[in-house]
Amino acid sequence: MPTSLGPEPQNGLTLWFTGLPCAGKSTLAAQIGQELLARGHQIEVLDADALRHTLCKGLGFSRADREENVLRIGRLCGMLGKYGIISIAAVIAPYRQIREQLRASIPGFVEIYVKAPLGVCVQRDVKGLYAKALKGEITQFTGIDDPYEEPQMPDIVVETATSDVATCCQTIIAWLEQKRLIVSADVSVNGSERFSRASSMI
Ligand SMILES: Nc1ncnc2c1ncn2[C@@H]1O[C@H](COP(=O)(O)OP(=O)(O)OP(=O)(O)O)[C@@H](O)[C@H]1O
Ligand SMILES: [Mg+2]
């Protein structure tokens, strides 16, 4: 007898892009989202900036609020995973312990470290926030006056200061294909091969 009205649980897949501000998380998450859509996967891109206006509205940048921010997005990833949807999260998630909590609680959690030296990120300063943080106009900014705890054993590392967007995406896609977590590019959307969501293979 089913115990809830939801679907039979499926092993989900969550691609969590973590890294400093301006490391390239949103850029890569969007690209990977497009690639997986083209392969026929159902995906949801969860970008921290957008979610701070909705799911995470009202949360600030204290340690407690940052943790809650990450955990809320993580819960959503877990829920979407039950429907076979691939969640693609672009969220700094600066604290190692919380990322480990995500790994322990979300089936098919893949930690992707979007790595770039702080100096490169400061130079990119896409939103002008590093400049503000360096002038003291804003506080609690990751990399300046708030810590970023580097992943110690990420599943995938992409170095965005030395590899372009296409190369970083290839690295990620190749890893997912090698683990048989996504369909290969040469299988049509309506082809006979089913998606492999074997989170146990991670
Ligand atoms: N290999 C690369 N991968 C991703 N972005 C790159 C790469 N090389 C250069 N960039 C550039 O770096 C910038 C990264 O900005 P992006 O908004 O993606 O960062 P972010 O990590 O999402 O930052 P934030 O935490 O502030 O949201 C973009 O301007 C992008 O074009
Ligand atoms: Mg971003």
Side-chain angles (χ1 to χ4, degrees):
M1 280 285 278
T3 53
S4 77
L5 295 175
E8 288 297 309
Q10 301 189 33
N11 290 331
L13 188 59
T14 291
L15 308 179
W16 194 289
F17 291 76
T18 175
L20 284 168
C22 295
K25 303 176 297 296
S26 295
T27 303
L28 294 176
Q31 286 286 320
I32 292 294
Q34 288 303 314
E35 178 64 30
L36 296 187
L37 266 181
R39 293 179 185 216
H41 287 282
Q42 286 187 289
I43 63 121
E44 186 67 41
V45 176
L46 301 168
D47 199 287
D49 281 347
L51 292 174
R52 278 195 176 269
H53 298 287
T54 55
L55 179 72
C56 302
K57 192 173 179 178
L59 293 175
F61 294 89
S62 65
R63 182 165 185 129
D65 275 11
R66 283 173 180 274
E67 289 182 358
E68 177 61 22
N69 183 57
V70 168
L71 290 175
R72 273 190 208 176
I73 297 170
R75 269 181 232 121
L76 180 54
C77 293
M79 290 160 81
L80 292 173
K82 288 188 191 168
Y83 295 83
I85 296 166
I86 300 179
S87 294
I88 304 174
V91 184
I92 297 172
Y95 306 124
R96 194 175 291 137
Q97 192 221 328
I98 297 295
R99 294 196 305 268
E100 288 313 312
Q101 211 170 308
L102 296 179
R103 182 187 293 285
S105 61
I106 303 173
F109 179 79
V110 178
E111 185 178 36
I112 303 172
Y113 180 21
V114 183
K115 187 174 182 183
L118 179 63
V120 171
C121 296
V122 170
Q123 279 213 321
R124 287 177 179 165
D125 205 8
V126 179
K127 303 171 203 160
L129 294 178
Y130 277 107
K132 285 188 179 170
L134 287 166
K135 281 190 261 174
E137 291 172 9
I138 55 171
T139 58
Q140 297 178 306
F141 191 73
T142 302
I144 302 300
D145 60 349
D146 227 52
Y148 178 74
E149 298 171 0
E150 281 193 280
Q152 288 173 325
M153 286 182 57
D155 299 291
I156 306 172
V157 182
V158 284
E159 307 230 16
T160 68
T162 49
S163 302
D164 63 15
V165 172
T167 306
C168 293
C169 287
Q170 275 164 19
T171 300
I172 295 164
I173 293 292
W175 189 93
L176 293 167
E177 281 182 339
Q178 198 255 326
K179 300 275 181 191
R180 298 182 57 77
L181 293 168
I182 60 172
V183 295
S184 44
D186 53 2
V187 175
S188 72
V189 172
N190 298 316
S192 56
E193 184 170 314
R194 295 288 300 141
F195 302 163
S196 172
R197 301 189 192 94
S199 56
S200 60
M201 297 175 81
I202 295 174

